[in-house]
Amino acid sequence: MFVQEEKIFAGKVLKIHICTMDGTEWLEEVTEDTTVEKLKEKCLKHYVHGSLEDPKTLTHHKLIHAATERVLTDTKTVADENLKDKDVLLLLKKRPPPTLPKMADVSSDEKKKQDNKAPDKEAILKATANLSTRHTDRTVTQHNIRDFQTELRKILVSLIEVAQKLLALNPDAVELFKKANAMLDEDEEDRVDETALQQLTEMGFPESRAIKALRLNHMSVTQAMEWLIEHVDDPSVDTPLPGQDSSGEAGATAAATPGASSSTEDSSRQDELTDIFKRIRRKREFRPDSRAVIALMEMGFDEKEVIDALRVNNNQQDAACEWLLGDRKPSPEDLDKGIDTNSPLFQAILENPVVQLGLTNPKTLLAFEDMLENPLNSTQWMNDPETGPVMLQISRIFQTLNRT
C-alpha cells in the first residue's frame, strides 16, 4: 500500500474563513506550507466555479488578512504569514492601474499647450510680415517721457534770468543782493562739519587746510584726507578757495560813489549787481569729486574733459565714464542752455503764484544758483521753508504736464 508523499510530509491543516465583496463566504482547508498564491487560486476556483481560463485573473486579485488589514504576499506560505485556524481573509479584486493616454490624446494635450504658449520673436515676425511698416522713431518717443532732473537744469537756467531781472527792478536790489551774498558767506561757514574737522585736525592737519579739503570734498573725511595727503607739497595748498577773500569788495564799490548823478548811480548800481552775481556764481562753482577725477584720469582721460564729464553727470563717476566713452551728449555748453521760454511748461511755472512770489526772494535765486552747479544740494533746498514750496510747485507742474 502506497501513501502519497505530500500526505506524509504535509503540515497542520487549517480552516480559513474566506469572504468576498458581494457577501459570499466559505471555508478553505489548507496546510501551513501552502503558498498564498495556491490559496488564492483555490479561492478563485471556488468563487468562479470552474477552471481559471484567464491567467490574469489570479494576478488581478489579492487576499487581505481581516484582523490586521494587511495584504498577503503571494510567494509566502500560510505559516510565513502567521495565519491561524479560523482566520478571516478577504478576497478582493485589485484596482486597475491608471490607463496610459493614447497617442492621439497626448498629441491633443501637447497641441493645447502649444496653443496657449506665448509666441516667440520668429512667430511674431512671421505673423506680421504682411503688415505695413510704420517708421516710429523710438528715440523721440522715449525722449518725450522727460526726466525731471534733466529738465530741471534747463528750468533753473531760465528762472535765474527771470529772477535776476525781477530783483534788479527792486529799488533795494543792491541791498537785497548784498544780503544774499552775506547769506552765502554764512552758508559757506556753516557747511564745515565740526566733527569731520576735528578728526582731520587730530590727525595733525592744519585747520585751514582741513576746512578747505572738507569743502572741496563735500564734507567727506576720507576724501578730504586723501586730498590733503596728495597736495601736501602743493605750493597753492593754503590758497583760499575762490570768493573767500573778496567779501568786502562790493561794499567798497558802493561806498565810493555817493552824490553821483542819477544815470551814474544807475550804471554803478547795475555794475554792482553784476559784480555780486559773479561772486555768487564763483562761490557756487562746480567742485568735482577728487577721487572720481583721479580714477578717470588714470584711465587716460584729460583733466579738463574729466571735469566736464563729472559736471554733466552730477559728480557720478560711472555715468561720467560712460559719457567720456560715448557720444558726450549733452555737452557742457548744453548745461547753460535754458528751457524754451514760450513752452507750456515754462509758462505754467511762471503763472504759479508760489513761484512768482519766490522769484522776488534773493534766497530763491541763491538756491537756483546752488542747485545749478551742485545738484546734490537739491535736497537741502527742498527742505528749506522759503525755497522748498517753490521747488515743490515746479516739480508738481512738471509731473502734471509730463503725464499729459
Side-chain angles (χ1 to χ4, degrees):
M1 181 178 178
F2 296 96
V3 181
Q4 291 182 358
E5 186 177 350
E6 61 179 314
K7 295 284 186 181
I8 297 174
F9 298 101
K12 182 180 177 182
V13 178
L14 302 177
K15 291 184 178 181
I16 305 297
H17 196 156
I18 308 297
C19 299
T20 63
M21 287 295 293
D22 58 6
T24 305
E25 299 182 17
W26 71 92
L27 288 175
E28 285 286 353
E29 293 186 353
V30 292
T31 57
E32 289 181 328
D33 56 355
T34 304
T35 63
V36 173
E37 187 177 17
K38 288 288 184 183
L39 174 58
K40 186 166 59 173
E41 187 178 349
K42 290 179 65 176
C43 293
L44 288 171
K45 285 181 178 180
H46 177 88
Y47 183 55
V48 299
H49 305 289
S51 61
L52 300 176
E53 296 180 359
D54 187 359
K56 292 183 179 179
T57 305
L58 191 62
T59 58
H60 288 177
H61 287 76
K62 58 185 176 182
L63 287 172
I64 298 177
H65 191 256
T68 59
E69 299 181 358
R70 57 188 174 86
V71 179
L72 304 184
T73 307
D74 289 348
T75 56
K76 291 185 177 181
T77 63
V78 172
D80 293 337
E81 291 289 1
N82 200 24
L83 296 181
K84 306 298 181 185
D85 193 37
K86 298 183 181 178
D87 275 356
V88 178
L89 299 181
L90 300 177
L91 178 64
L92 301 176
K93 191 173 184 179
K94 294 179 181 179
R95 289 181 181 176
T99 55
L100 294 174
K102 297 179 182 179
M103 289 303 296
D105 296 335
V106 172
S107 301
S108 177
D109 291 340
E110 288 296 325
K111 187 177 179 182
K112 287 181 181 178
K113 289 180 181 179
Q114 290 295 330
D115 291 341
N116 295 331
K117 185 180 178 181
D120 54 16
K121 183 179 179 180
E122 185 179 351
I124 293 173
L125 292 174
K126 184 178 179 181
T128 58
N130 297 325
L131 296 179
S132 59
T133 304
R134 293 184 180 180
H135 298 283
T136 303
D137 190 344
R138 293 177 177 266
T139 305
V140 173
T141 304
Q142 183 65 26
H143 179 69
N144 288 337
I145 306 174
R146 297 169 295 182
D147 174 59
F148 177 61
Q149 291 301 325
T150 303
E151 292 295 313
L152 178 61
R153 183 175 187 86
K154 296 179 182 179
I155 296 170
L156 291 179
V157 169
S158 297
L159 286 178
I160 286 172
E161 294 178 3
V162 174
Q164 287 178 349
K165 292 176 181 178
L166 286 174
L167 289 167
L169 295 173
N170 193 313
D172 301 322
V174 173
E175 293 301 322
L176 287 172
F177 281 105
K178 283 181 180 177
K179 182 181 177 182
N181 193 46
M183 289 165 54
L184 183 58
D185 289 334
E186 292 174 4
D187 183 56
E188 286 293 327
E189 293 174 3
D190 293 339
R191 284 171 67 85
V192 179
D193 187 330
E194 293 298 330
T195 304
L197 179 60
Q198 183 180 355
Q199 291 181 29
L200 292 175
T201 53
E202 287 177 353
M203 295 178 191
F205 297 110
E207 183 175 335
S208 58
R209 290 188 186 182
I211 292 173
K212 181 178 180 179
L214 286 170
R215 286 176 176 166
L216 285 173
N217 293 280
H218 309 289
M219 298 299 135
S220 170
V221 176
T222 305
Q223 295 181 28
M225 182 178 65
E226 291 178 0
W227 184 91
L228 287 165
I229 294 171
E230 290 167 8
H231 295 80
V232 66
D233 297 324
D234 189 345
S236 62
V237 67
D238 293 316
T239 303
L241 292 173
Q244 289 184 346
D245 56 346
S246 57
S247 58
E249 292 175 3
T253 306
T257 57
S261 64
S262 177
S263 60
T264 307
E265 286 178 359
D266 290 342
S267 175
S268 175
R269 182 166 164 270
Q270 290 297 327
D271 291 341
E272 191 169 358
L273 285 174
T274 303
D275 181 61
I276 295 174
F277 287 149
K278 288 180 179 178
R279 286 164 56 197
I280 290 175
R281 276 278 175 98
R282 191 165 61 246
K283 289 181 181 181
R284 287 304 187 187
E285 67 183 0
F286 175 70
R287 297 173 183 173
D289 186 328
S290 59
R291 287 202 302 179
V293 171
I294 294 169
L296 292 171
M297 287 181 65
E298 287 176 349
M299 296 180 186
F301 297 110
D302 181 71
E303 182 177 4
K304 183 182 180 302
E305 60 184 3
V306 166
I307 293 174
D308 286 343
L310 290 171
R311 182 167 178 254
V312 170
N313 294 281
N314 301 336
N315 257 336
Q316 297 178 11
Q317 182 178 325
D318 292 342
C321 183
E322 291 181 9
W323 184 87
L324 287 165
L325 295 171
D327 57 3
R328 302 195 177 187
K329 297 284 174 102
S331 66
E333 292 74 23
D334 293 336
L335 296 181
D336 297 325
K337 293 179 181 177
I339 192 173
D340 181 6
T341 54
N342 295 320
S343 66
L345 173 60
F346 193 69
Q347 291 299 318
I349 291 173
L350 289 183
E351 291 171 4
N352 186 277
V354 177
V355 176
Q356 290 177 358
L357 185 62
L359 291 176
T360 61
N361 185 350
K363 191 173 183 180
T364 304
L365 176 61
L366 181 67
F368 289 169
E369 292 279 7
D370 186 24
M371 287 186 287
L372 198 62
E373 297 302 334
N374 298 287
L376 296 177
N377 293 341
S378 299
T379 305
Q380 168 193 336
W381 296 112
M382 286 290 288
N383 295 328
D384 187 274
E386 294 182 61
T387 59
V390 178
M391 295 305 301
L392 181 62
Q393 290 301 318
I394 293 172
S395 175
R396 284 178 175 173
I397 293 168
F398 174 84
Q399 299 296 344
T400 301
L401 292 182
N402 198 35
R403 283 195 296 268
T404 58

